[in-house]
Amino acid sequence: MDLSGTHAADENTARPAAVKAAARRLLVERGAGGLTPDAVARAGAMTVTEVESAFPHRDDLLTALVIDAYDDSAAAMEQADRAAVAAGASAGARLLAVTRALRAWSFANSGEFTLIYGSPVPGYHAPQDTVPPASRTPAVLAGIVRAALEAGELTPPRRAVPGPPLLRPEAVALFGGVPDAPFSDLVERGIVLWSNLIGLLVFQVFSRTHDSVRDEAAYFDFAIAVAAESIGLEVPSGPKDTPTG
């Protein structure tokens, strides 16, 4: 890769971008375990020295890819939510719009999806830098659930989560505090919704539902509606009622 015609500042931006682009192609072909400097250099028509000048260690490259994947997927959800809000959508329609957006991103970027939601990469421990980007997806969901609560769009649960609160302070802060009864366990229920969403995507991206249902996209909408019932939110059943951006 010839960067001789670029200025130093441009090179500092262009080279990491080129390395990451090559690494993303390898994620699909070989998985995260295939991101060796030699393999990335060959995939990007670069030298190993160029790769290592941008990312001295494999973990540096993995962290950059993880952060990008979280940011890009969350941005797709945020854009879908803005469009739904602009169209006057209900909270349930907003939820369907953002989860559809994450589904579309996941299929279009299966390598990055696998990196952040698949099996852990042996020997890699994500640093604290990845936490804020990873929080953007649940923050989108939390914002919709909070809006539904404030708009009176939630049905109170039939039974509360038993025992004392199960939340860490970070989860409470992300939601903006613990709601009053009868929604005092809403944050716990929101985490159930979030985990159901990611689990459903894992099943669909990794082809675990293709031999069980005839229409995976329609099944996804149905499953989101069922999961939303756990927080007392009604999701519209028809695509015409659901702005997706």
Side-chain angles (χ1 to χ4, degrees):
M1 178 181 178
D2 183 10
L3 296 172
S4 59
T6 63
H7 295 296
D10 294 333
E11 183 175 333
N12 288 339
T13 301
R15 181 166 292 151
V19 172
K20 288 191 292 184
R24 290 188 186 100
R25 293 192 293 272
L26 284 179
L27 280 175
V28 176
E29 298 170 6
R30 302 186 182 185
L35 298 185
T36 64
D38 286 342
V40 174
R42 285 194 300 272
M46 293 174 275
T47 67
V48 172
T49 299
E50 287 175 322
V51 172
E52 292 181 338
S53 70
F55 299 101
H57 304 288
R58 180 207 67 162
D59 287 7
D60 299 327
L61 176 56
L62 282 175
T63 295
L65 294 173
V66 166
I67 289 174
D68 283 355
Y70 279 129
D71 280 338
D72 290 347
S73 59
M77 297 175 71
E78 292 161 356
Q79 180 179 2
D81 193 35
R82 286 192 296 269
V85 170
S90 66
R94 288 172 61 188
L95 178 67
L96 188 53
V98 303
T99 55
R100 283 176 171 176
L102 183 59
R103 181 179 188 270
W105 180 90
S106 300
F107 276 97
N109 302 274
S110 59
E112 292 96 307
F113 175 85
T114 302
L115 178 64
I116 58 177
Y117 293 123
S119 300
V121 180
Y124 174 71
H125 302 283
Q128 189 67 23
D129 290 352
T130 63
V131 174
S135 299
R136 288 177 63 181
T137 292
V140 173
L141 301 179
I144 293 171
V145 174
R146 170 63 72 178
L149 176 64
E150 294 173 350
E153 296 184 41
L154 297 183
T155 301
R158 284 184 296 226
R159 69 183 185 94
V161 173
L166 302 173
L167 302 171
R168 293 175 61 90
E170 296 87 347
V172 175
L174 184 70
F175 190 74
V178 175
D180 295 329
F183 298 105
S184 54
D185 61 1
L186 184 58
V187 183
E188 286 98 333
R189 291 175 181 275
I191 296 172
V192 172
L193 173 64
W194 176 33
S195 58
N196 283 345
L197 167 62
I198 300 304
L200 176 62
L201 288 172
V202 167
F203 261 57
Q204 293 212 328
V205 174
F206 297 159
S207 298
R208 296 292 186 267
T209 54
H210 74 282
D211 56 354
S212 301
V213 298
R214 291 194 299 270
D215 186 332
E216 291 192 80
Y219 181 77
F220 178 86
D221 289 357
F222 166 76
I224 293 300
V226 170
E229 291 177 356
S230 68
I231 60 171
L233 182 61
E234 182 178 352
V235 169
S237 58
K240 293 181 180 180
D241 302 322
T242 310
T244 57

